[in-house]
Amino acid sequence: MGKIKIQKKDIWIDMTPMSDVMTLLLCFFMLTSTFLTPEPVKVNTPSSVSEVKVPENDVLNILVSPEGNIYLGSENKNTMVAMMETVTDKFGVTLNGLQLKHFKEDAMIGAPMAVFADYLSLDTEKMGEEIQKLSIPLDSIEGGKSEFQEWVAAARDANPDIRVAIKADAKTSYAVIKKMMSELQDMNENRYQLITNLDVKKQAEI
């Protein structure tokens, strides 16, 4: 008796609905994602049980490295440019087109005004290496404001609603943090947020 051959049929799956879903998901993530501002140095923040979130807009971020180097910046480039114009006018520093371009591309401010123009004249790769060795000075200038205070004041002038957030490394010297906070208090900047890592275990114990 001969074998009965079963006719094979091709299975076709319509992938159009899946493509539509993937496109919608992609659009959703693109529109709702928040891009983190790259930081000049890696900072490991201390742990805490606080769940208060730092606002995403109108924030002056102050970054303190383990070595005590201080950097600051804002996610709003217009605020950054306004800060730069105020401080450079104060110190009599003039920037050329290339330096202005590098400033707008840089994530945070961290060079002292004495070498500010020279730093912005470097290649982009060298700027990334050099910024790790620099810091905004906390020392007062001839009895007046320090460069750190000048930058914070310029940020407040550029955006009166700006909020201050401090992100320091867990290994940063307490003396540096104390001096920086004293500088803020001298300017009547008494409200600021400290960025930390949420300790889930300790929070569960409370």
Side-chain angles (χ1 to χ4, degrees):
M1 183 175 179
K3 294 182 179 179
I4 299 175
K5 293 184 179 180
I6 300 175
Q7 186 178 1
K8 295 182 179 180
K9 295 181 179 180
D10 294 334
I11 299 175
W12 180 79
I13 301 175
D14 186 4
M15 299 296 292
T16 304
M18 184 175 290
S19 300
D20 293 339
V21 171
M22 293 300 295
T23 303
L24 289 173
L25 287 174
L26 180 61
C27 292
F28 171 77
F29 286 120
M30 289 178 64
L31 293 173
T32 58
S33 297
T34 302
F35 296 97
L36 296 176
T37 303
E39 297 175 343
V41 293
K42 185 177 180 180
V43 170
N44 296 316
T45 55
S47 300
S48 74
V49 295
S50 175
E51 290 188 88
V52 178
K53 293 184 178 180
V54 177
E56 296 180 358
N57 301 316
D58 297 331
V59 177
L60 178 66
N61 295 298
I62 300 175
L63 184 71
V64 189
S65 72
E67 296 77 22
N69 296 339
I70 296 175
Y71 313 90
L72 55 80
S74 171
E75 81 290 341
N76 190 323
K77 289 298 181 182
N78 292 329
T79 300
M80 292 277 285
V81 172
M83 291 164 56
M84 178 269 297
E85 291 175 349
T86 300
V87 177
T88 51
D89 287 345
K90 177 82 174 181
F91 287 87
V93 177
T94 303
L95 304 180
N96 58 35
L98 177 63
Q99 292 166 339
L100 288 172
K101 179 176 179 293
H102 283 174
F103 176 83
K104 293 177 181 179
E105 294 173 351
D106 210 1
M108 302 189 83
I109 303 163
M113 295 310 298
V115 297
F116 192 66
D118 294 335
Y119 163 73
L120 293 174
S121 298
L122 299 173
D123 294 334
T124 305
E125 293 182 1
K126 291 183 179 179
M127 285 176 62
E129 297 175 0
E130 190 66 20
I131 193 65
Q132 299 182 28
K133 308 172 187 176
L134 301 175
S135 174
I136 298 178
L138 292 173
D139 298 325
S140 299
I141 303 170
E142 297 178 357
K145 293 181 180 178
S146 66
E147 291 187 23
F148 172 75
Q149 290 176 319
E150 293 289 355
W151 281 110
V152 175
R156 180 64 65 192
D157 291 340
N159 183 358
D161 297 325
I162 202 166
R163 286 159 286 189
V164 178
I166 300 173
K167 183 178 181 180
D169 194 275
K171 297 181 180 178
T172 303
S173 171
Y174 173 73
V176 175
I177 303 298
K178 182 180 179 181
K179 185 174 183 180
M180 181 186 63
M181 289 183 175
S182 296
E183 296 261 305
L184 291 172
Q185 290 173 354
D186 290 343
M187 303 172 61
N188 293 322
E189 291 286 349
N190 298 313
R191 299 185 65 181
Y192 42 79
Q193 292 176 291
L194 300 176
I195 300 176
T196 57
N197 284 325
L198 181 63
D199 194 324
V200 180
K201 293 182 179 180
K202 288 185 179 179
Q203 188 186 43
E205 294 174 357
I206 297 177

